[in-house]
DNA sequence: CGCACCCTTGAACAGTGTCAATTGCCGTGG
DNA sequence: CCACGGCAATTGACACTGTTCAAGGGTGCG
């Protein structure tokens, strides 16, 4: 799998990366990475965490692994999925910088999903034991924990809405806009980006087949909402894409004005993480 | 909405209910309700929590409400859903005794989903501030928090699998078996139970229409896997239902032996929470 | 050069959604 | 008391979305 460079790297992230060539980061950086808003405190510079580098295709957690730590993505991107006895996969998400990986193992002590790097990536290892240590050191840290947890829940709920209420084209539109937002928040371009995952990965995540995903891309491209060149995506008409989330096929059939919709397809939802 | 009595009530739960006529429970009971395995400690009997009674149809949390507490269902059952601008709902789950409601508000401080009681219910109110208090009082409580969180994540992932990888009949079969397991764990009958929710509620949760849900019920009934009488369900052939989760229409077409399956439908997954 | 993926496109079919009609139940009010 | 309206559920007919199966092209790599 080719390593595709991101454009317009976030200056602050780059600086942080350079300033810690060794395999660890201090809590202050983790604080910024996860947007924790931790209170200013000496511990921010005292507590440090090991990191781990992943090559494209390398696994971070396997299904069945014991869960001793959570992982905060520092750069790169992963694919998380659950797998059943027959080898059929259900994609669960695409963790990117600032996301947490591994919360699925907290309940039973063993991971039920696996996570694989889609490109060269780095994660910060947060041992569960250290979390308790931080909680003792930093008053008000519990609030921060809640925030992390709640973010995961929100993301899952957004995906449930996506799978339960949207048709194929709506799912693809929502997926791309969500990805665009996340790139934007990381300091990258919102309108042009390279997909790190295959059509199959996307299909697995969206509950579709890869053919349907490919057709949705082509359909959006043919009416100039999108420019698609393999994995390079350019968003040409963000508003129309937004409408396409809930207006089944209306955008693609030349109907600029959404037909009066009733039934299960209707309404918009902020998918921003 | 009629209040339908559960059969074979769990003795221990009944006892707990009787022993606290007033509107509060002590941490020891919460410990048992949520299966927290808290270490034996004086605080178990010292810390107490207010409860809240809900009538059928009453809301526990509204979308947009400020999030100051989590709620542990003590008895009854609720329906949780998110709603978009057009009023279209996406069901998120059916919290039952031992489940936690409200984690969706932890990230932003406001709830994005609402929760409504399906019957007369009671919840234990766990203010976020109290959680910090417990964490200070009880060493090792953080591990317990992780367990609660992880359980939520697991449930969400199971639902994602359901929506992303199963066809209509598979979703209904998985839904019923999951419900059956949860009733069983609560001490009720596994094979006979009354649904608390409408076909529409089920459909919203499963990402289907109510007609499709109804047809799935009828199909299972017509080949004697299920007895369906309105909301009263009896599971007649659990193993066949289990197979029906991943064998699209095979069970209903008289084929006892699953045809060799390829493609997106295949494999089994434990949906037990 | 050949092989393994990845992606696109086409055609036919199957699974679900949509629309509509009917039944039964329940609480309300004549 | 029964009539009525509203709600829940079932069932049928039909249209359409998305899957399945198939073929072909592009690209990277051994």
């Amino acid at each position: 799998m080719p390593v595709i460079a991101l454009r317009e790297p976030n200056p602050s992230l780059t600086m942080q990366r350079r300033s810690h060539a060794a395999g660890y980061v201090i809590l202050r950086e983790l604080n910024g990475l996860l947007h924790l808003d931790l209170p200013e405190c000496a511990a921010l510079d005292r507590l440090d965490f090991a990191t781990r580098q992943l090559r494209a295709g390398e696994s971070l957690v396997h299904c069945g692994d014991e869960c001793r730590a959570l992982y905060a993505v520092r750069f790169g991107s992963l694919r998380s999925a659950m797998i059943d006895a027959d080898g059929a996969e259900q994609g669960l998400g695409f963790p990117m910088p600032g996301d947490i990986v591994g919360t699925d193992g907290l309940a039973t002590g063993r991971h039920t999903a696996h996570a694989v790097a889609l490109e060269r990536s780095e994660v910060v290892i947060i041992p569960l034991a250290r979390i308790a240590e931080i909680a003792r050191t930093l008053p008000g840290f519990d609030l921060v924990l809640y925030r992390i947890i709640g973010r995961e829940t929100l993301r899952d709920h957004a995906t449930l809405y996506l799978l339960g209420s949207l048709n194929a084209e709506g799912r693809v539109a929502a997926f791309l806009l969500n990805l665009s937002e996340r790139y934007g928040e990381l300091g990258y371009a919102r309108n042009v980006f390279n997909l790190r995952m295959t059509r199959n990965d996307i299909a697995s995540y969206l509950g579709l087949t890869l053919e349907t995903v490919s057709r949705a891309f082509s359909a959006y491209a043919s009416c100039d909402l999108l420019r698609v060149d393999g994995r390079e995506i350019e968003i040409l008409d963000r508003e129309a894409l937004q409408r396409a989330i809930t207006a089944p096929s209306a955008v693609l059939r030349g109907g600029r004005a959404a037909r009066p919709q009733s039934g299960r397809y209707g309404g918009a939802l902020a998918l921003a993480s």
Side-chain angles (χ1 to χ4, degrees), chain A residues 159-221:
Chain A
T159 307
L160 286 178
Y161 168 75
L162 197 146
L163 290 178
S165 299
L166 300 182
N167 63 4
E169 282 161 2
R171 295 182 202 184
V172 171
F175 169 74
L176 288 176
L177 286 175
N178 181 29
L179 216 54
S180 165
E181 274 312 302
R182 290 165 78 185
Y183 280 132
E185 284 168 13
L186 291 173
Y188 300 114
R190 275 188 163 78
N191 290 327
V192 187
F193 49 86
N194 283 292
L195 298 174
R196 304 294 192 281
M197 65 293 284
T198 69
R199 299 287 190 267
N200 211 357
D201 293 337
I202 300 173
S204 170
Y205 172 66
L206 297 180
L208 302 169
T209 59
L210 66 91
E211 292 95 332
T212 302
V213 172
S214 179
R215 270 184 259 267
F217 278 143
S218 300
Y220 285 134

Side-chain angles (χ1 to χ4, degrees), chain A residues 27 36-39 130-151:
Chain A
L27 181 56
L36 298 185
D37 297 329
L38 284 173
R130 297 296 298 280
I131 297 182
E133 181 185 341
I134 304 171
R136 277 193 303 273
T137 309
L138 287 180
F141 181 71
D142 34 8
L143 293 174
V144 159
L145 260 187
Y146 306 155
R147 186 118 35 95
I148 296 178
I149 301 156
R151 222 183 289 165

Side-chain angles (χ1 to χ4, degrees), chain A residues 61 65-71 102 105-106 109-111 125-131:
Chain A
V61 294
D65 276 358
E66 197 173 347
C67 174
R68 293 213 190 114
L70 300 181
Y71 306 92
L106 290 176
R110 295 203 170 274
H111 290 285
I125 303 172
I126 312 172
L128 295 186
R130 297 296 298 280
I131 297 182

